[in-house]
Amino acid sequence: MICAGTIRQPFLNPAAHDAMTHAENSLTQEQIKHFAQRIEARKKLLLDEIRQVLARSSNEHQADLIGGAGDSGDLAAASLLRDITESEIIRDVGEVRDIAAAEQRLAAGQYGICIDCGSAIRYKRLDAYPTAKRCLACQERREKLQAPSPYTGR
């Protein structure tokens, strides 16, 4: 029986988290600065891509209006391109949201700390995925138990 004031994390495997050494657990200020720079660079790239896709989409729409509609094959191809463009934008916006959340964690001094269990996120995971908000164990558990994000599929 659990008391009302007790916080229970039934899926947490303390042995898996405790297996990391202190060196694996902590990020240096230099490493945090490095990740912050990578995150900022990625954000700029994504925002530029979003602007370009929106501009291209707008130009294609204007060309469709000027040129008129072609045959049904042209209409199907145009529809497919619009769907792809929309999917690209949704994916990029989702990643920008992940970046904004990572920037908030950086500002709060919580970058590299799992939002679910409070353990350190390993350097290798952050190096591969700088906006990671969960340690590998918690992310794997989340993927097994919950539907993926509509933005990133994670």
Side-chain angles (χ1 to χ4, degrees):
M1 175 146 241
I2 298 175
C3 298
T6 303
I7 297 173
R8 182 175 174 191
Q9 296 178 331
F11 299 107
L12 181 61
N13 178 357
H17 291 290
D18 293 342
M20 290 191 290
T21 65
H22 182 69
E24 291 173 313
N25 255 348
S26 58
L27 293 174
T28 66
Q29 288 302 313
E30 186 177 311
Q31 289 170 327
I32 291 171
K33 183 178 177 182
H34 166 74
F35 286 126
Q37 290 170 342
R38 283 183 56 195
I39 288 168
E40 180 62 28
R42 181 69 179 157
K43 182 172 128 180
K44 287 179 182 179
L45 178 71
L46 286 168
L47 292 175
D48 286 344
E49 281 182 16
I50 291 169
R51 284 187 203 99
Q52 289 173 4
V53 168
L54 289 173
R56 184 181 72 226
S57 176
S58 176
N59 290 340
E60 288 170 357
H61 179 69
Q62 290 173 1
D64 287 345
L65 292 175
I66 293 170
D71 62 19
S72 62
D74 291 341
L75 291 175
S79 177
L80 177 63
L81 287 174
R82 277 191 297 277
D83 290 346
I84 291 170
T85 298
E86 182 179 321
S87 295
E88 287 176 347
I89 292 171
I90 289 170
R91 180 200 62 223
D92 288 351
V93 167
E95 192 173 344
V96 169
R97 287 180 179 164
D98 284 348
I99 288 170
E103 288 174 331
Q104 289 175 344
R105 291 190 304 278
L106 280 161
Q110 295 295 308
Y111 181 77
I113 305 297
C114 177
I115 64 169
D116 289 348
C117 71
S119 293
I121 300 171
R122 289 183 181 226
Y123 179 87
K124 287 181 180 181
R125 177 161 169 72
L126 291 169
D127 193 39
Y129 180 44
T131 59
K133 55 188 160 197
R134 291 180 182 85
C135 66
L136 187 59
C138 288
Q139 183 63 36
E140 287 174 345
R141 182 176 52 255
R142 182 180 191 280
E143 289 173 3
K144 288 178 185 174
L145 299 175
Q146 297 180 354
S149 163
Y151 304 111
T152 62
R154 294 185 282 258

